[in-house]
Amino acid sequence: MPHRDPVDAAAIEHGDEAPPLRVGVLGAARIVTDALATPAASTPGVTVAAVASRSRERAAEAARRHGIATAHGSYEALLDDPTIDAVYIPLPAALHAGWTVAAARAGKHVLCEKPFTSNSAAAAEVEAATRESGVVVMEAYHSHHHPLVARVRGILASGEIGTVRSAHATFCVPIPPGKDIRWNLALGGGGLLDVGYYPVRMLRELLGEVVEVTDARAWMRDGIDRRVEARLTLPGGVIGTVVSSIWSRRLAGATLTVRGDRGSLEVPFPYHPQMRGVIRVRGTEGRRTERVDRRTSYWYQLGAFERAVRDGAPLGTDAVAAVAQMRALDAIYDAAGVARRP
């Protein structure tokens, strides 16, 4: 029978006793719909209450589009808004550090899009600056919060595929060169920081911290890494390989494969399980395919953020974890001979 992770909605959704967590958005990026507005609509304890842009007109348009009550003509105005409890930051990576620190200093809880910053030095500075702030600072690595990750971890720990020997993770999407911010070096662009973030983080979370980047290669265009391949040594001598691209012959694909000495585990769409994700296992108990919860990973992420704010629940995607991830990404850039993002 396929495994199904139990979902306790009461653990995520708070009742009417507490007022809703009022979240403001810094910027009008497209990701706001999937990452915040849609999951908030089915999370009674959270309200998206305000949006800010450098243009009042653009803020007003975003407010109309998402049904948000208040539009601010500057990020500073939103941080000064006493009715806002927390902020979501979907700005370009190079702007994350400054606005995360500013929001924390304004007493706002922070949900900052991944990557946390554009390089590991900036991430460490943000972690140090916000450590004693008294607010929650969470990186929006949504995949971590989906039950798929815990289920895969459980299968590996069970020994069903034996001792893990190797793992391979990929994420490739077609983003043609042009005006997209991922092609803007000054804004923290690059394929590894964007889609490459996912396979690196997935292997680290499942198999442990990177011991060494044994080899890495980057294919460049206009100063941007459009494709990256890396070979990693993980704890126990496990060999991990990652492939990411925003523009290459392999236009699209997202996979995770873990091989042990007694079998293997494969997951298509491992970072967005709601997109037809399944777990295929070949091991000591034979072959099977497990279906996974199709609720969006962003919904689970928002629930985790709300619980951290209200109850002090621990986070696996806090600022400390973000620093470790950025160090791994920078180590791959270093091994590939690519300058770290500014």
Side-chain angles (χ1 to χ4, degrees):
M1 293 291 291
H3 174 91
R4 297 184 186 275
D5 290 285
V7 176
D8 180 4
I12 295 178
E13 299 175 359
H14 285 257
D16 297 332
E17 295 83 0
L21 181 70
R22 295 175 58 84
V23 180
V25 183
L26 296 188
R30 291 191 300 269
I31 189 63
V32 172
T33 300
D34 290 339
L36 183 63
T38 298
S42 58
T43 306
V46 176
T47 296
V48 185
V51 61
S53 177
R54 296 186 186 280
S55 159
R56 183 174 295 278
E57 291 75 18
R58 190 177 183 196
E61 170 56 29
R64 285 192 296 270
R65 186 165 64 250
H66 298 298
I68 299 172
T70 301
H72 290 292
S74 72
Y75 303 151
E76 293 87 353
L78 189 147
L79 295 185
D80 288 339
D81 186 338
T83 70
I84 298 301
D85 306 306
V87 296
Y88 169 59
I89 304 178
L91 300 170
L95 304 181
H96 288 178
W99 287 109
T100 295
V101 172
R105 288 176 175 168
K108 313 297 186 186
H109 303 284
V110 180
L111 178 61
C112 178
E113 257 308 328
K114 42 80 37 196
F116 192 57
T117 56
S118 54
N119 59 62
S120 58
E125 291 173 3
V126 173
E127 191 279 325
T130 60
R131 189 181 304 152
E132 305 299 330
S133 64
V135 300
V136 171
V137 176
M138 174 177 166
E139 183 182 24
Y141 172 51
H142 57 95
S143 308
H144 168 90
H145 302 281
H146 196 280
L148 168 77
V149 175
R151 178 56 186 153
V152 170
R153 189 180 287 116
I155 294 171
L156 297 179
S158 74
E160 186 177 353
I161 69 168
T163 300
V164 174
R165 300 300 190 195
S166 66
H168 180 66
T170 70
F171 199 2
C172 304
V173 298
I175 304 174
K179 295 182 179 180
D180 190 286
I181 61 171
R182 283 160 287 200
W183 289 96
N184 188 322
L185 184 64
L187 293 179
L192 182 63
L193 279 191
D194 188 63
V195 296
Y197 179 105
Y198 290 92
V200 174
R201 183 76 179 251
M202 184 67 74
L203 294 191
R204 290 182 54 250
E205 292 203 339
L206 292 175
L207 301 169
E209 197 55 71
V210 176
V211 176
E212 181 185 9
V213 180
T214 53
D215 185 49
R217 181 182 177 188
W219 287 257
M220 308 294 290
R221 177 166 176 159
D222 300 328
I224 295 296
D225 54 290
R226 62 178 181 83
R227 179 181 175 92
V228 171
E229 296 182 4
R231 182 180 175 89
L232 316 173
T233 300
L234 300 167
V238 174
I239 300 302
T241 54
V242 297
V243 176
S244 71
S245 79
I246 55 174
W247 192 244
S248 69
R249 290 181 180 178
R250 183 176 182 178
L251 286 178
T255 60
L256 167 70
T257 303
V258 183
R259 301 189 184 281
D261 59 6
R262 304 183 70 183
S264 64
L265 176 152
E266 297 180 0
V267 185
F269 302 99
Y271 322 114
H272 300 79
Q274 58 268 24
M275 297 174 63
R276 307 187 303 280
V278 296
I279 304 172
R280 300 189 181 107
V281 183
R282 177 182 62 82
T284 57
E285 299 179 10
R287 297 173 181 265
R288 71 177 186 283
T289 297
E290 297 186 3
R291 296 186 181 276
V292 300
D293 193 322
R294 295 299 172 83
R295 229 178 300 207
T296 171
S297 49
Y298 297 108
W299 182 80
Y300 283 103
Q301 173 178 264
L302 187 59
F305 182 61
E306 183 192 0
R307 292 194 299 277
V309 170
R310 292 189 188 278
D311 309 324
L315 283 173
T317 58
D318 60 9
V320 173
V323 172
Q325 171 69 1
M326 292 310 304
R327 286 174 176 160
L329 295 177
D330 274 355
I332 294 174
Y333 273 135
D334 293 346
V338 177
R340 298 182 182 189
R341 304 298 86 179

